[in-house]
Amino acid sequence: MTGRKPFRSLALAAVAGVGLAVWVFPVIWGLLTSFKTERDVLAYPPVWFFKPTLDNYREVIFGASSIMPNLWSSLVVSTSATFFTMLFAIPAAYALARLKYPAKRASGFYVLATQMLPPVGLIIPYYLALQKVGGLDTYSGLTLIYLTFSLPFAIWLMVSYFEDIPFEMEEAALLDRAGRLRTLWYVILPQVRGGIAVTTIFVFLNAWNEFMFAVVLGGNRVRPVTVAMFNFISVEQTQWAKVAAGAMLAMLPVILIGLFAQRHIVKGLTVGAVKGGGRR
Amino acid sequence: MGSGTKPARSLAAQERRFALALFVPALLVLLLTTTVPLVYLGWTSLQKLDMSMPWLSGFAGLGNYAKMGGDPRFWNSLVLTGVYTGTTVVLQVIIGLSLALLVLQIPKGQGLLRVAAILPIVLAPVVVGLFWRTLVLAPDFGLVDLVTRTVGLGSHNWLGDPQLALISVIAIHTWQWTPFAFLVLLATLATLPPDVYEAARLDRAGAWQRFWHITLPLIRPAIVMVVILRMMTALSAFAAIFAATGGGPGSATEILNLYAYRTSFTELNLGYGASLAMVLLSITMAISYLMFRLRRARS
């Protein structure tokens, strides 16, 4: 029994290693490709050792097909969507987590239901409405529709953080006759700083990665980087190295964010579902 | 406090006012940004609204819905939606759970594996679709073709052949989202009390029996949750398929979500597209309702 154990754990590690390499390898391969010349990309058998070049990055940063304007678009849309989301989500989540008010359960369920809406059902009315008021290809139009998926998500994630604070703290503050608003601002919010940071990060990440809304409601002026990547491949069909360099640049922020927030990712992904619908 | 009912009641009223002041702004935003547009979607689905033939626009009643009955592309998309959602969710849960069970037995390096699993999740689906279309699945130069050619299975047009294309988009989705099932189930398994296993081991229960009778019932709520969330994502999967195949070749990978999109924004028939979106909306709502009912009945 003891003699077989190291072998067993080695085999286990090997299987898990293969499984996980499948997740990492395509990304590593993309990273390598981004430093290749287009000739090295199409070499067969593929080359592992090659003279790395920065030409692809130079091209997607400074060249004719620069994605810098698109990174800027993504930054503006994602930041403004995140700002407005948090502005409305934090107070709403506090009420939902801590206070008594009429139809509270129904309203919580309503927030959850809006999170389930298929985006294609929203994009059609938004397109028609924004077209009428000249809101296509504007930052405000995109920001508005981004609220549809980020606000319900942020409310529910913040609820879970507000519920973690002990009741005693706000009771003590309230007994001291600090007003409710002051209690929220000076006592409660400092307690959920971490939760606010994590929620902000996830809202930003989801906005950054969004594609369908951006491709329909964006245009020549407002074109987030996800749309630019898509156009890249249609225009420059075979220039994989450039596509890879662009993709690496576009995904660098979210990869860094993911690594930074890795311990919170499970909570962020399952938000709402844990308690959803079954709340008392 | 507690000296009479009047201050208590006014305190409750004060709390209610405060709560509404905090909650109502977000509620109004949600109503305006989601519910009002959905009403407009429903109204649009009753219109004949074809941007390529704008002169024919007008009220159509249930005409768009009646049209679906005789639309083979609609039925095809419905079947594909079922196949795509069913296969990807089952694969994600089985692979994710197996990996989580395996990884749990490894004493060291779990942290590293967790980091690896996060990578696909944070990538934009459109970038994932592009990566697979070029570096992974392209004939001759893609990674998969390199493997199949090396082992003697030859080169295949992974995204150009209708059947292979469907398998490919299922593989892409499974690749990106299995880490989700893996991470959630790993976190759940790690919280299980070790003493139940000890008791079972003393009872000489085999590994399979232990899994079937102890582990599985304990993690069932987590599995149901993963299934619900994964179904929602699969039903409205878009960017990765759109980038990899565009719904093609022909309509081989055109799930209902893509059909509604293409009808609305490629063929510019927004009236019919809206009715297709309404069908998808009903399916999504019905499934989430059923799943939540099922879960509440269990717990």
Side-chain angles (χ1 to χ4, degrees):
Chain A
M1 195 67 189
T2 37
R4 274 171 55 196
K5 244 190 170 158
F7 173 74
R8 203 176 95 96
S9 54
L10 207 68
L12 278 176
V15 174
V18 170
L20 294 160
V22 169
W23 288 332
V24 181
F25 192 69
V27 183
I28 302 280
W29 191 243
L31 185 65
L32 283 177
T33 305
S34 72
F35 290 107
K36 287 180 178 176
T37 61
E38 297 293 350
R39 246 185 69 211
D40 280 337
V41 171
L42 299 181
Y44 184 86
V47 282
W48 283 97
F49 301 100
F50 52 88
K51 204 162 156 262
T53 169
L54 285 174
D55 283 353
N56 304 312
Y57 285 96
R58 205 167 290 136
E59 179 64 30
V60 294
I61 294 174
F62 304 110
S65 47
S66 168
I67 62 165
M68 293 317 270
N70 310 110
L71 288 170
W72 175 248
S73 273
S74 285
L75 187 68
V76 174
V77 176
S78 306
T79 310
S80 63
T82 308
F83 173 76
F84 285 109
T85 299
M86 297 310 285
L87 186 69
F88 290 107
I90 294 175
Y94 176 67
L96 211 50
R98 276 301 163 87
L99 305 172
K100 286 199 193 75
Y101 60 94
K104 176 172 156 169
R105 217 189 117 159
S107 58
F109 198 82
Y110 171 73
V111 174
L112 199 68
T114 56
Q115 203 187 348
M116 301 281 179
L117 300 177
V120 76
L122 292 169
I123 189 78
I124 296 169
Y126 269 83
Y127 176 79
L128 290 170
L130 288 175
Q131 195 186 34
K132 270 182 203 140
V133 299
L136 291 176
D137 199 10
T138 62
Y139 284 115
S140 36
L142 258 192
T143 303
L144 197 66
I145 199 169
Y146 279 15
L147 289 179
T148 62
F149 61 87
S150 62
L151 189 53
F153 168 82
I155 290 177
W156 275 100
L157 190 53
M158 281 312 299
V159 164
S160 70
Y161 286 105
F162 278 122
E163 282 177 340
D164 287 346
I165 325 171
F167 264 111
E168 292 78 33
M169 295 206 69
E170 55 194 305
E171 276 165 6
L174 283 174
L175 283 180
D176 274 354
R177 295 176 168 268
R180 287 200 169 267
L181 197 59
R182 286 171 65 88
T183 310
L184 175 59
W185 189 259
Y186 291 106
V187 181
I188 311 290
L189 285 188
Q191 296 286 313
V192 290
R193 264 193 312 228
I196 292 176
V198 171
T199 310
T200 305
I201 279 174
F202 277 120
V203 169
F204 186 88
L205 193 150
N206 286 335
W208 185 273
N209 281 348
E210 206 286 327
F211 174 72
M212 188 204 270
F213 294 153
V215 78
V216 175
L217 302 183
N220 286 327
R221 223 165 56 78
V222 180
R223 181 179 292 157
V225 73
T226 45
V227 181
M229 290 310 303
F230 180 77
N231 292 342
F232 227 123
I233 198 83
S234 358
V235 180
E236 324 205 16
Q237 196 53 262
T238 51
Q239 295 182 298
W240 293 4
K242 253 198 274 172
V243 172
M248 284 301 149
L249 222 51
M251 290 296 101
L252 191 66
V254 291
I255 292 175
L256 291 179
I257 285 173
L259 294 180
F260 179 72
Q262 52 151 312
R263 277 193 294 135
H264 306 279
I265 233 158
V266 170
K267 191 168 187 176
L269 290 170
T270 55
V271 58
V274 184
K275 295 184 177 147
R279 290 179 55 78
R280 276 164 297 275
Chain B
M1 301 272 118
S3 57
T5 50
K6 210 174 172 198
R9 199 183 301 153
S10 73
L11 212 64
Q14 185 209 25
E15 177 172 340
R16 199 161 57 230
R17 273 200 306 276
F18 184 61
L20 289 177
L22 294 182
F23 188 76
V24 166
L27 182 70
L28 284 179
V29 171
L30 279 178
L31 279 170
L32 279 175
T33 58
T34 64
T35 308
V36 171
L38 280 189
V39 173
Y40 192 27
L41 176 78
W43 173 245
T44 309
S45 78
L46 302 176
Q47 309 286 322
K48 186 160 178 58
L49 182 59
D50 191 336
M51 302 295 220
S52 58
M53 292 180 278
W55 58 89
L56 289 177
S57 296
F59 190 72
L62 293 173
N64 285 323
Y65 293 94
K67 191 174 146 192
M68 285 175 207
D71 177 7
R73 214 170 135 192
F74 166 69
W75 293 108
N76 172 58
S77 74
L78 216 51
V79 172
L80 285 178
T81 304
V83 171
Y84 184 82
T85 308
T87 348
T88 53
V89 171
V90 168
L91 283 174
Q92 287 173 71
V93 171
I94 291 179
I95 301 174
L97 181 57
S98 319
L99 261 179
L101 287 167
L102 271 175
V103 166
L104 210 61
Q105 320 242 331
I106 299 172
K108 270 184 199 166
Q110 283 189 22
L112 196 71
L113 302 179
R114 238 177 259 136
V115 174
I118 283 167
L119 205 51
I121 297 178
V122 297
L123 296 179
V126 66
V127 170
V128 169
L130 289 175
F131 253 36
W132 278 68
R133 171 167 159 183
T134 53
L135 301 174
V136 182
L137 292 174
D140 293 334
F141 304 107
L143 287 170
V144 173
D145 240 25
L146 290 177
V147 174
T148 54
R149 282 210 286 182
T150 315
V151 300
L153 289 172
S155 169
H156 295 277
N157 195 353
W158 298 102
L159 294 170
D161 173 89
Q163 265 183 352
L164 286 178
L166 182 61
I167 295 173
S168 296
V169 292
I170 288 173
I172 296 172
H173 191 92
T174 308
W175 177 82
Q176 181 166 28
W177 296 112
T178 298
F180 173 101
F182 165 73
L183 287 173
V184 172
L185 295 173
L186 185 65
T188 314
L189 285 169
T191 61
L192 294 186
D195 41 329
V196 263
Y197 290 101
E198 288 306 318
R201 203 165 287 144
L202 291 177
D203 282 349
R204 293 170 178 261
W208 180 249
Q209 277 182 319
R210 278 208 303 272
F211 169 73
W212 199 251
H213 293 294
I214 300 173
T215 316
L216 203 57
L218 282 174
I219 60 169
R220 191 164 56 196
I223 293 182
V224 173
M225 178 183 74
V226 169
V227 168
I228 297 175
L229 292 172
R230 296 340 297 154
M231 280 178 94
M232 295 304 134
T233 310
L235 283 171
S236 51
F238 178 76
I241 306 180
F242 195 65
T245 67
S251 51
T253 54
E254 191 180 68
I255 61 173
L256 183 54
N257 193 32
L258 262 106
Y259 184 33
Y261 177 89
R262 280 168 111 182
T263 306
S264 309
F265 297 107
T266 312
E267 287 143 37
L268 298 177
N269 190 347
L270 285 140
Y272 193 45
S275 66
L276 293 168
M278 285 297 283
V279 173
L280 181 63
L281 179 73
S282 326
I283 294 175
T284 313
M285 285 296 161
I287 289 180
S288 47
Y289 177 74
L290 280 178
M291 290 305 233
F292 280 126
R293 281 291 297 271
L294 184 82
R295 224 179 55 170
R296 232 190 298 175
R298 285 264 160 78
S299 57

